[in-house]
Amino acid sequence: MSTLRFHAIKESLTYKPVNVEEKERRSDLFGKHVFNERTMRQYLTKDAFNGVRDAIQYGKKIDRSIADQVASSMKDWALSKGVTHYTHWFQPLTGATAEKHDAFFETMQDGMAIEKFGGSQLVQQEPDASSFPSGGIRNTFEARGYTAWDPTSPAFIYGTTLCIPTIFVAYTGEALDYKTPLLRALHAVDNAATAICKYFDKNVKKVSSSLGWEQEYFLVDKMLAASRPDISLTGRTLLGHSPAKGQQLDDHYFGSIPNRALSFMRELETECMLLGIPVKTRHNEVAPNQFELAPIYEEANLAVDHNSLLMDMMGRVAARHNFKVLLHEKPFKGINGSGKHNNWSLSTDTGVNLLGPGKTPMSNLQFLTFFINTIKAVHEHEALLRATVASAGNDHRLGANEAPPAIISVFIGEQLTKVLEELEGVTKGKLSPQEKTELKLNVVGKIPDVLLDNTDRNRTSPFAFTGNKFEFRAVGSTANCGNPMTILNTIVAKQLSDFKVEVDKLIDKKGLKKDEAIFNVLREYIKSTRHILFEGNGYGKAWEEEAKKRGLSNNKTTPEALKAKISKETIALFEEMNVMSRVETEARYEIEMEAYIMHIQIESRVLGDIARNHIVPTAVKYQNILIENVRGLKEIFDKKFNSVSKEQLSLIEEISSHIESINANVTKMINERKKANALEDLEKRAMAYCDKVKPIFDDIRYHCDKLELLVDDEIWPLTKYRELLFTR
């Protein structure tokens, strides 16, 4: 056994779990480190509080004098908690969060010092923008970028730092982050949905998008993870033979949580409570050492911030428990990967969930309006929705008999399918009094108040209705939720806007009553969106063939999928809804394609290094041991040598064959990588990495994993799957 592997296993087996005691009720801890409404009421003047509240609820601009008051109060509150620094906390297009800390400390001319924090420092800062991905928006020598305070997401204390959530834009105004387009999309869906709500309730003034994410992850012993170069550098294992026992017994799923993992969860949840992240659910997932946590749903912008903060926090808390958190979509071959289901809905400022059926025909009609329009939006933009979850990591997961396929479809269940079929059959044009009554009583009026259990769940559906919300199940575990939430809210906003135009046209030009006009438009939508509805097995080959007949896209790889992001239709959509300009849209495409290339390139280099510098030398070393053994057998048995050394000679030959194949494939991979790097066209380079470089990974892995079964376990250099997955 290699020295590193030996010490890693020894260290993990002797580690004593941290005992985490929960001394306070979680309801008492919740939001203690957040400058939330309760804290603002305590620290802000009435004018300052009203200014911030109006900015949050109605998007009103905060006056500079109000900003000064807020900054002063925020500083006083932070100092009372032992804070020394502040930072503008933002989400650049790296996929991680970013922060630059500045001390409150300032010196005076008389040599004295004070703690200072004003409105100008709260509202805006100027971090270096040159080293963040910009997709060509900024040149390296053009470093200026701005972070600007987002008052809709409350400031929070993390450690000894006051973190102020902000947007991040270029000097020329283009968005360089996930938050800015998301805020624009949320504004668009608010306007569009509020206009539709006024058909049913004139009192509605605002519609908010809600999000409840479910975060899946693996916990691996920190020392064992550190002994694997592939985990350390890529977040996943590029080699490793499947253990005899994996997840086939289904004994880990919802099982008793191991003590060490439970201690980690308790501390993580305590941190979440302090930061106002309303985590509620924890459980074992399907694969060994895989787990999940999920919060109560929140307003989408806040939920995105909380998930980004959580992913950073998970790594820090895990380190204190000698764990490494793996958020990669597919860290281990042969067992389930990790996703991040995004549960999405819309709700009004009057307290109504627009995707929750009500108790009366009129509220059911409102539900059907938003329900059918969401389906229509997905139908019109299914390829774009697929593109929002495209990444090198998620390519391993989508359609791998554990996650939704790359084909986007919508599951609504048997009962709602019948409701739509009946609604589709209603006579076109003006309805007779009898038809109106029949429609209200027999179709719209019979939708049950609670739909949570009216049909079985379809785990293979990428976009499923689950009673009072839609669940976008294809999002990858490392993803920033801002990306899919921006697209989903944008396409729904566009669809609702188009719907209103059609309804108003029937009312104004054809003289139809409001309900009749709504019914007529919805009926046509039902007819035109049949192809996107699918209730069956999304993993089956038959569905691929059926989806092709229906005209649905099946973009299995990231380079294929991302093309939808720069189509004429997509650019026009974003510009019309004021979510992103052409420049911003094309920049994001370039950034995501570059990220794909870089991920495959890094994995290729790491795999080549491990194969040639770890696996092959170890195999040669063991082969030499066998050769010495054969020589000894020849001296002892002489005439019987051929019969007694048959197995050893066969093993030597088999090892040689695998070594030869590894070296040949690594050379081939390097050559293909060089060819890909020489391509100037971004799309061609990405396709070359996808089609030419990446497939060789499997060939190299196959021979390395075969050697793992042949070489003496005592000298094998890499920590094995059985040790990574079952050391708890």
Side-chain angles (χ1 to χ4, degrees):
M1 185 179 298
S2 69
T3 302
L4 183 60
R5 181 180 166 209
F6 171 78
H7 285 296
I9 294 171
K10 181 181 177 182
E11 184 76 20
S12 66
L13 293 175
T14 56
Y15 172 76
K16 293 182 179 180
V18 176
N19 183 28
V20 178
E21 294 184 17
E22 298 185 58
K23 297 179 180 179
E24 296 183 63
R25 289 189 302 182
R26 296 194 170 189
S27 57
D28 293 331
L29 290 173
F30 188 71
K32 268 192 172 183
H33 290 176
V34 182
F35 199 68
N36 51 24
E37 183 174 331
R38 181 179 59 188
T39 307
M40 286 193 291
R41 286 185 182 277
Q42 181 181 351
Y43 280 86
L44 295 182
T45 64
K46 184 177 180 181
D47 287 344
F49 176 79
N50 289 335
V52 175
R53 186 182 60 182
D54 288 345
I56 294 172
Q57 293 182 353
Y58 306 112
K60 292 184 179 179
K61 188 176 181 180
I62 294 178
D63 184 80
R64 194 49 172 265
S65 62
I66 296 294
D68 285 332
Q69 293 181 50
V70 174
S72 178
S73 299
M74 203 180 279
K75 179 199 69 178
D76 292 342
W77 169 73
L79 291 175
S80 73
K81 299 281 189 181
V83 168
T84 59
H85 289 68
Y86 65 91
T87 183
H88 275 200
W89 182 82
F90 58 102
Q91 300 168 48
L93 298 172
T94 58
T97 58
E99 53 199 63
K100 181 189 73 170
H101 297 189
D102 285 301
F104 288 122
F105 175 84
E106 294 280 352
T107 57
M108 307 292 288
Q109 287 184 346
D110 58 4
M112 301 296 286
I114 61 170
E115 273 71 31
K116 187 176 179 181
F117 183 60
S120 60
Q121 294 154 310
L122 167 65
V123 171
Q124 183 176 304
Q125 279 192 336
E126 186 186 335
D128 188 337
S130 63
S131 296
F132 289 109
S134 71
I137 290 175
R138 306 296 289 149
N139 293 313
T140 302
F141 62 87
E142 296 173 316
R144 185 165 289 177
Y146 295 109
T147 51
W149 175 36
D150 171 20
T152 65
S153 185
F156 57 91
I157 294 171
Y158 195 24
T160 59
T161 304
L162 172 66
C163 299
I164 302 160
T166 63
I167 63 170
F168 180 43
V169 297
Y171 175 72
T172 46
E174 292 89 359
L176 296 175
D177 65 345
Y178 288 108
K179 180 184 278 283
T180 304
L182 174 63
L183 291 174
R184 295 170 183 164
L186 295 177
H187 179 69
V189 81
D190 174 16
N191 288 341
T194 299
I196 300 301
C197 283
K198 290 189 181 297
Y199 285 142
F200 308 97
D201 183 358
K202 299 291 186 182
N203 295 316
V204 174
K205 295 180 180 178
K206 182 177 177 60
V207 172
S208 299
S209 170
S210 63
L211 167 64
W213 41 262
E214 303 169 23
Q215 182 69 60
E216 295 177 342
Y217 61 97
F218 281 83
L219 285 177
V220 177
D221 183 89
K222 184 169 68 173
M223 294 299 293
L224 297 180
S227 71
R228 295 277 312 217
D230 47 0
I231 292 179
S232 298
L233 296 176
T234 72
R236 75 180 183 104
T237 55
L238 300 173
L239 303 170
H241 199 281
S242 298
K245 180 182 185 296
Q247 66 186 45
Q248 60 266 51
L249 296 178
D250 296 323
D251 54 345
H252 189 258
Y253 192 47
F254 279 25
S256 177
I257 301 174
N259 289 336
R260 187 174 165 192
L262 190 58
S263 294
F264 157 77
M265 292 177 180
R266 283 174 175 163
E267 184 175 351
L268 177 64
E269 288 167 359
T270 297
E271 295 281 351
C272 286
M273 288 298 106
L274 292 169
L275 291 168
I277 305 174
V279 293
K280 185 175 179 66
T281 302
R282 67 188 184 201
H283 64 83
N284 290 5
E285 255 300 333
V286 176
N289 276 355
Q290 187 187 31
F291 306 94
E292 179 182 301
L293 93 163
I296 300 169
Y297 71 90
E298 302 177 279
E299 186 275 327
N301 178 43
L302 182 59
V304 170
D305 281 359
H306 278 167
N307 183 249
S308 298
L309 175 59
L310 174 93
M311 290 192 289
D312 177 67
M313 194 163 54
M314 288 174 80
R316 302 191 190 200
V317 174
R320 297 199 285 267
H321 293 261
N322 265 30
F323 276 129
K324 182 177 178 63
V325 171
L326 301 184
L327 292 175
H328 194 283
E329 285 77 11
K330 192 71 172 179
F332 300 101
K333 183 180 180 181
I335 60 175
N336 276 20
S338 299
K340 178 154 47 194
H341 304 164
N342 279 205
N343 295 280
W344 171 88
S345 189
L346 296 171
S347 57
T348 69
D349 58 348
T350 58
V352 176
N353 177 1
L354 296 172
L355 289 175
K359 297 179 180 180
T360 65
M362 183 52 66
S363 57
N364 280 343
L365 177 57
Q366 179 174 265
F367 157 72
L368 283 172
T369 297
F370 284 92
F371 176 70
I372 294 170
N373 271 282
T374 300
I375 295 171
K376 174 75 168 171
V378 175
H379 178 269
E380 296 301 311
H381 303 282
E382 47 89 14
L384 178 58
L385 204 58
R386 160 67 180 99
T388 69
V389 297
S391 70
N394 218 17
D395 281 358
H396 294 284
R397 174 178 162 266
L398 294 181
N401 288 332
E402 63 179 79
I407 305 166
I408 298 296
S409 64
V410 179
F411 171 84
I412 63 173
E414 182 180 351
Q415 187 169 357
L416 281 172
T417 298
K418 290 181 179 178
V419 170
L420 297 192
E421 288 174 351
E422 290 188 43
L423 185 57
E424 182 184 350
V426 175
T427 306
K428 187 175 182 180
K430 287 191 176 183
L431 303 176
S432 67
Q434 183 179 355
E435 287 174 319
K436 290 181 185 179
T437 303
E438 183 179 350
L439 184 65
K440 287 285 183 72
L441 294 179
N442 295 340
V443 180
V444 182
K446 73 179 184 181
I447 300 176
D449 185 29
V450 179
L451 280 159
L452 292 175
D453 299 312
N454 77 327
T455 186
D456 198 5
R457 294 180 67 196
N458 188 333
R459 295 181 61 84
T460 72
S461 175
F463 200 83
F465 185 71
T466 55
N468 58 3
K469 61 188 183 302
F470 279 99
E471 183 179 21
F472 190 18
R473 298 175 53 84
V475 183
S477 50
T478 59
N480 184 302
C481 296
N483 194 14
M485 283 298 101
T486 295
I487 305 305
L488 180 55
N489 283 288
T490 300
I491 64 175
V492 171
K494 165 63 174 170
Q495 180 52 49
L496 291 173
S497 299
D498 291 348
F499 173 76
K500 188 173 190 308
V501 170
E502 293 187 58
V503 170
D504 288 349
K505 185 177 180 181
L506 291 179
I507 294 172
D508 296 338
K509 294 188 177 181
K510 294 197 175 182
L512 269 63
K513 295 292 186 181
K514 178 191 67 178
D515 288 0
E516 291 180 87
I518 291 172
F519 283 132
N520 274 275
V521 177
L522 291 181
R523 182 186 56 248
E524 296 306 312
Y525 284 179
I526 294 170
K527 291 179 181 179
S528 65
T529 59
R530 289 178 187 150
H531 290 333
I532 202 71
L533 299 178
F534 180 64
E535 308 290 303
N537 178 15
Y539 295 159
K541 185 69 177 176
W543 170 230
E544 282 196 36
E545 296 171 356
E546 173 63 22
K548 187 176 181 180
K549 292 178 183 177
R550 296 186 184 191
L552 301 179
S553 63
N554 184 12
N555 298 319
K556 295 184 177 181
T557 67
T558 293
E560 288 179 304
L562 287 179
K563 292 176 185 178
K565 282 199 167 185
I566 53 167
S567 68
K568 292 180 180 178
E569 294 77 12
T570 297
I571 291 172
L573 167 71
F574 286 140
E575 289 184 330
E576 179 184 347
M577 304 312 295
N578 294 315
V579 171
M580 283 189 286
S581 66
R582 173 185 287 272
V583 171
E584 290 170 321
T585 302
E586 292 176 344
R588 275 163 169 71
Y589 169 77
E590 183 176 324
I591 289 167
E592 291 178 35
M593 287 288 269
E594 285 281 6
Y596 176 84
I597 292 168
M598 291 299 106
H599 275 99
I600 304 301
Q601 185 184 86
I602 290 168
E603 289 186 351
S604 171
R605 288 173 172 170
V606 172
L607 179 58
D609 172 63
I610 295 175
R612 279 190 167 162
N613 295 321
H614 294 70
I615 304 302
V616 169
T618 301
V620 170
K621 182 178 180 179
Y622 183 58
Q623 195 177 46
N624 288 335
I625 293 172
L626 292 174
I627 290 170
E628 288 300 314
N629 176 260
V630 169
R631 286 173 179 162
L633 290 175
K634 188 171 184 179
E635 290 179 9
I636 295 172
F637 294 100
D638 195 14
K639 294 181 180 179
K640 296 182 180 180
F641 170 73
N642 289 334
S643 60
V644 298
S645 64
K646 183 178 180 181
E647 293 299 326
Q648 289 89 331
L649 290 170
S650 176
L651 187 55
I652 291 170
E653 185 178 358
E654 189 174 355
I655 291 172
S656 293
S657 175
H658 289 305
I659 291 173
E660 182 182 356
S661 295
I662 290 170
N663 280 321
N665 279 303
V666 169
T667 299
K668 180 181 177 183
M669 179 179 68
I670 292 171
N671 290 334
E672 291 295 343
R673 197 169 66 220
K674 288 178 179 178
K675 292 177 184 177
N677 291 338
L679 297 172
E680 292 186 8
D681 184 83
L682 182 66
E683 185 177 315
K684 290 180 180 178
R685 188 160 70 250
M687 291 305 298
Y689 266 98
C690 180
D691 296 336
K692 301 295 183 180
V693 178
K694 187 181 174 184
I696 305 174
F697 289 12
D698 290 336
D699 295 329
I700 296 171
R701 179 171 194 151
Y702 171 81
H703 294 287
C704 289
D705 289 355
K706 285 295 183 181
L707 285 175
E708 182 181 325
L709 296 179
L710 299 176
V711 172
D712 186 356
D713 182 70
E714 286 296 311
I715 65 171
W716 189 253
L718 300 180
T719 302
K720 296 187 175 183
Y721 267 32
R722 68 169 185 265
E723 295 152 354
L724 291 166
L725 294 171
F726 293 98
T727 299
R728 300 174 185 174

